[in-house]
Amino acid sequence: LFRTITANAIATTLTQHHPALFSLTGIFLPLMIERKKNRIIKLTSKIHSSSTNFKTLLSPATFESVKAYSDSKLYNVLFTYTLANLLQKEGITVNCMHPGVINTKMLTKTWGPIGSPVHDGATREVYLADSPEVEGITGKYFVGNRMADSVPFSYQPEAGEALWKISRDILTKSGFNNPYKTPHL
């Protein structure tokens, strides 16, 4: 994880792991609301931060690669819980998961093949996306195929709301249309 800064002065680690997913989810959300019975799954990591200062999203001067990664994964958890709350009446479930330590290209290049095969991580994602066992379950954090507790900070609604506002502002400042146009989003 190297420090690369976007033209809008945001660390790319954070951009790739949160604002990009925030935007992409918003783009598909109208179709998902129309169709109902959809599941949104956000990948996160067991090493998501225990707390954060949201200025790290906007201040590359404070960039530390592991902290940026951990913060971005905390943002995935906060986004999951906030979106799940907003979509309660839409028939869409929103959950996040840590698929395990998986031998991705980044992991093997950085630390060697210390994790599980990519197939194992994919199987865990498919379980959450398709299993009848988790149908109707929303706003939860999973480790593999089991519900688990995320860090206490992630359950603070005001933290999720603050992240939501900052995320919308980042999209606007970046010149993207805000895909979250419905009144409650």
Side-chain angles (χ1 to χ4, degrees):
L1 299 171
F2 300 100
R3 181 180 176 181
T4 305
I5 307 302
T6 68
N8 298 315
I10 301 170
T12 54
T13 298
L14 295 171
T15 303
Q16 292 167 352
H17 292 183
H18 176 66
L21 296 177
F22 180 81
S23 178
L24 185 63
T25 301
I27 290 167
F28 285 103
L29 208 48
L31 179 62
M32 296 180 87
I33 289 171
E34 180 183 308
R35 293 181 141 191
K36 307 259 184 215
K37 296 275 184 186
N38 287 290
R39 298 182 191 186
I40 297 173
I41 300 153
K42 299 291 176 190
L43 292 183
T44 188
S45 175
K46 206 176 201 179
I47 65 164
H48 60 275
S49 294
S50 59
S51 66
T52 190
N53 177 345
F54 291 117
K55 290 180 183 175
T56 59
L57 258 172
L58 306 170
S59 177
T62 61
F63 182 81
E64 297 173 33
S65 63
V66 174
K67 177 71 172 148
Y69 179 83
S70 297
D71 279 355
S72 72
K73 295 307 178 179
L74 173 61
Y75 301 155
N76 293 151
V77 177
L78 286 166
F79 176 46
T80 296
Y81 294 165
T82 303
L83 187 60
N85 186 47
L86 292 170
L87 295 176
Q88 282 180 2
K89 297 176 183 162
E90 301 293 346
I92 299 170
T93 62
V94 187
N95 293 295
C96 59
M97 72 169 307
H98 168 67
V101 178
I102 305 299
N103 281 331
T104 61
K105 188 175 181 180
M106 182 181 86
L107 181 77
T108 56
K109 278 182 103 175
T110 308
W111 290 287
I114 60 171
S116 300
V118 172
H119 178 269
D120 291 357
T123 300
R124 293 173 191 138
E125 293 171 51
V126 169
Y127 167 82
L128 198 54
D130 195 45
S131 173
E133 294 173 22
V134 293
E135 187 172 345
I137 295 174
T138 192
K140 301 296 181 191
Y141 169 69
F142 287 77
V143 175
N145 295 349
R146 296 186 181 171
M147 273 190 267
D149 291 328
S150 55
V151 297
F153 181 83
S154 67
Y155 295 105
Q156 297 178 11
E158 61 277 4
E161 291 166 12
L163 177 64
W164 193 276
K165 182 183 180 318
I166 290 167
S167 302
R168 288 178 66 156
D169 290 349
I170 287 171
L171 292 182
T172 302
K173 289 176 184 174
S174 299
F176 292 103
N177 289 329
N178 178 8
Y180 295 92
K181 297 189 187 303
T182 59
H184 64 287
L185 299 176

